[in-house]
Amino acid sequence: MTVGLVCQSCDALSPLRASVCIGCGAALAASSTAPTIIHCAACGAERIEGHRFCGHCGARAEEAAAAAPASPASPAPSGGSKKTRFFSSLQAPGRAKLILIKGEGMDGVSYHLAGTEHIAGRSDGTLLFTEDPLVSPRHANFYYQDGRLMVADEGSQNGVFLRIKAPLVVEAGTLFLVGEQLLRIDRFPESPALRDDQGTFFYTSPQRPAPLCVAQILVGGGLGAVTICPRATMTVGREGNDLNFSQDPFISGRHLELVALGDGRYQLTDLGSKNGTFVRLRGPQPLHHGDYVFLGQQLLRVEIT
């Protein structure tokens, strides 16, 4: 960058230590200033701020400025018409979107929740899953309450399931999903002693009360395998657990721990499984960024901007 003194008589540039202008010979002591060197907007060459023409390409200062491309990194003036705005109302702060998770955990369609409430179902509402036979016509409602995103079951057949992030205390009768398995926490069954009309008791296996009982729910609501654990803690997984589902590829080796706390209360803890543990909601539930929700066969991730 060239630095010198500008003669106010002829605009020539002289060395900083010069006493007279090298262009016209005028004294520089009282008629010169140290210039500000800028770059020509047309050709990029150095020029003196305030000069009307570029000494390299000859372009007028105002013409070069008009022809220069706008810099994307230049901040827009605050408070003016060029102030940066949100791309659309769908991305307004505090609003959320649901992202459909496809196979192998890939992201699919996004549903922006820009309104007050958003009904999800097979035929009713704005979030439609017309090809999913496990989704009810009107299944769930995603809505805002006091600035928070909520989800509520709309009386669906199969319910709304939320992935647990931390140990969760639940009650007997709670339904939860592990891989492809729908399981229910039951109290220990106490069957009455049966006998015939002559008073003779039937043979039965001896009943020994146990703190944990988990039932598998089959298609159509039928009862599958019932696992009774004599200890207060049991694990569920693919192998080496109290309850194993070796043929389920979506269950981790050690997937879930269930602990009986007493008084009909139980604690569910996911053991760092790959696909998580989901519990059926019994009432409206607030949702947070990063939550996962199951509706029928649809897995949705919550993102809040």
Side-chain angles (χ1 to χ4, degrees), residues 210-213 229-235 242 257-262 265-267:
L212 287 173
C213 180
C229 182
R231 302 183 307 278
T233 301
M234 69 179 296
T235 58
D242 301 291
E257 181 183 70
L258 179 61
V259 178
L261 302 177
R265 298 181 306 121
Y266 305 84
Q267 179 174 280

Side-chain angles (χ1 to χ4, degrees), residues 110-124:
S110 295
Y111 302 91
H112 293 267
L113 307 182
T116 303
E117 60 178 27
H118 314 81
I119 300 298
R122 196 173 69 250
S123 59
D124 298 344

Side-chain angles (χ1 to χ4, degrees), residues 121-123 128-136 295-298:
R122 196 173 69 250
S123 59
L128 297 179
F129 305 100
T130 58
E131 304 299 323
D132 191 339
L134 300 182
V135 172
S136 295
L295 306 177
Q297 296 174 316
Q298 311 304 315

Side-chain angles (χ1 to χ4, degrees), residues 80-257:
S81 61
K82 295 183 180 180
K83 183 177 181 180
T84 303
R85 300 188 305 175
F86 289 103
F87 182 73
S88 73
S89 60
L90 298 181
Q91 295 178 337
R95 294 297 176 173
K97 63 180 177 180
L98 302 176
I99 299 177
L100 184 65
I101 306 300
K102 303 188 298 182
E104 301 300 323
M106 302 295 290
D107 288 355
V109 178
S110 295
Y111 302 91
H112 293 267
L113 307 182
T116 303
E117 60 178 27
H118 314 81
I119 300 298
R122 196 173 69 250
S123 59
D124 298 344
T126 56
L127 283 65
L128 297 179
F129 305 100
T130 58
E131 304 299 323
D132 191 339
L134 300 182
V135 172
S136 295
R138 184 184 177 95
H139 197 108
N141 186 12
F142 294 88
Y143 61 98
Y144 294 100
Q145 178 177 298
D146 298 327
R148 304 178 67 184
L149 178 64
M150 307 285 292
V151 63
D153 191 341
E154 291 286 294
S156 67
Q157 176 68 33
N158 295 307
V160 178
F161 289 78
L162 178 65
R163 184 172 181 171
I164 64 175
K165 293 182 176 180
L168 179 68
V169 176
V170 297
E171 300 176 352
T174 296
L175 291 166
F176 61 99
L177 285 170
V178 179
E180 294 182 313
Q181 310 304 316
L182 177 60
L183 306 174
R184 185 180 65 216
I185 303 174
D186 284 344
R187 292 181 181 273
F188 180 77
E190 297 180 359
S191 302
L194 299 178
R195 50 186 171 180
D196 62 16
D197 54 3
Q198 297 179 346
T200 305
F201 284 92
F202 292 101
Y203 273 119
T204 61
S205 298
Q207 287 188 331
R208 297 183 178 88
L212 287 173
C213 180
V214 175
Q216 181 188 34
I217 308 302
L218 302 178
V219 175
L223 190 62
V226 177
T227 302
I228 297 174
C229 182
R231 302 183 307 278
T233 301
M234 69 179 296
T235 58
V236 180
R238 199 169 58 246
E239 56 186 15
N241 302 277
D242 301 291
L243 177 56
N244 298 295
F245 298 96
S246 59
Q247 302 302 314
D248 191 331
F250 299 101
I251 291 183
S252 297
R254 283 175 57 83
H255 197 111
L256 166 77
E257 181 183 70

Side-chain angles (χ1 to χ4, degrees), residues 291-302:
D291 279 344
Y292 285 86
V293 180
F294 247 126
L295 306 177
Q297 296 174 316
Q298 311 304 315
L299 177 59
L300 301 164
R301 184 177 74 244
V302 178

